[in-house]
Amino acid sequence: MHPHLERVLVTEEEIRNRTAQLGADIARDYADKNPLFIGILKGACMFIADLVRAVEIPLEIDFMAISSYGASSKSSGVVRIMKDLDRPLEGRHVVVVEDIVDTGLTLAYLRDVLVHRRAASVKIAAIFDKPGGRSVDITPDYCGFTVPNEFIVGYGLDHAERYRNLPYVGVLKREVYEH
Ligand code: PRP
């Protein structure tokens, strides 16, 4: 275990097994729909790479990068699109892939944007869900693990851009982020 962690919350094997289940669920739900998977950078890069390999139907992949408008944006929910999709999505069945849903503000905003662009459907796949952090009513359609309201890192989740490459997820020691 990384020395900056207090404990491991979800192991590499648990992530692998759960992702395989989610992939099978999505493949069943989207057979013949040629879904568009949209990974939200940067946190979702690990999960989307693993997830799509478990979805054994034809599909396409694209990415968006979004950024908050400074500190207050977490409460306003306004985000800025830093990198947009390469292709129009009108009429497409979309699966938004996220590492974590916390307040839910990012996804609530993004879902509205995608619906406004006339996607045929928009669903959300998140490997981690932190319902204790929620400030808007949004629930991932495909969820890997429910996590407690603690500072977690790994498998795409960072603190000051570190720890994203840990293959598991753990709780960061308080002294690492409080100094
Ligand atoms: C994280 C995560 C989600 C968002 C969730 O991204 O990847 O996009 O925050 O939080 P919310 O539910 O409170 O809106 P972050 O802005 O940290 O960017 P990153 O993925 O590049 O780390």
Side-chain angles (χ1 to χ4, degrees):
M1 181 177 81
H2 193 289
H4 291 179
L5 296 184
E6 188 182 290
R7 66 183 195 278
V8 172
L9 202 60
V10 187
T11 68
E12 193 173 356
E13 187 184 4
E14 287 169 332
I15 292 171
R16 186 166 51 242
N17 291 339
R18 187 73 186 110
T19 301
Q21 289 171 355
L22 291 175
D25 291 347
I26 294 173
R28 189 193 58 230
D29 295 348
Y30 286 86
D32 303 320
K33 287 187 173 166
N34 188 29
L36 177 65
F37 282 61
I38 301 177
I40 309 304
L41 298 170
K42 305 172 205 169
C45 62
M46 315 292 168
F47 180 44
I48 192 171
D50 288 338
L51 180 65
V52 293
R53 282 179 286 184
V55 181
E56 296 177 350
I57 57 169
L59 58 82
E60 293 175 29
I61 301 170
D62 207 339
F63 292 93
M64 291 179 87
I66 53 189
S67 146
S68 308
Y69 273 108
S72 62
S73 63
K74 276 287 172 190
S75 49
S76 71
V78 177
V79 300
R80 180 162 40 158
I81 297 173
M82 308 299 286
K83 183 239 172 281
D84 209 335
L85 301 170
D86 290 339
R87 313 250 309 258
L89 55 63
E90 186 167 352
R92 300 299 305 267
H93 293 283
V94 170
V95 180
V96 178
V97 182
E98 263 290 19
D99 49 353
I100 191 162
V101 186
D102 186 355
T103 64
L105 290 166
T106 306
L107 275 171
Y109 177 84
L110 203 56
R111 190 175 58 181
D112 287 350
V113 168
L114 301 178
V115 167
H116 186 73
R117 292 184 187 178
R118 300 176 188 280
S121 66
V122 179
K123 291 204 172 180
I124 295 161
I127 186 69
F128 302 111
D129 183 16
K130 193 189 269 187
R134 207 67 102 247
S135 58
V136 291
D137 185 19
I138 193 163
T139 308
D141 302 280
Y142 303 95
C143 169
F145 303 91
T146 300
V147 296
N149 208 357
E150 295 182 273
F151 202 137
I152 62 172
V153 295
Y155 198 64
L157 295 164
D158 75 308
H159 168 53
E161 299 299 328
R162 286 191 69 180
Y163 316 109
R164 291 191 199 274
N165 59 326
L166 295 177
Y168 49 84
V169 162
V171 177
L172 198 59
K173 283 180 180 166
R174 191 169 283 271
E175 69 246 34
V176 177
Y177 60 90
E178 277 187 0
H179 62 251

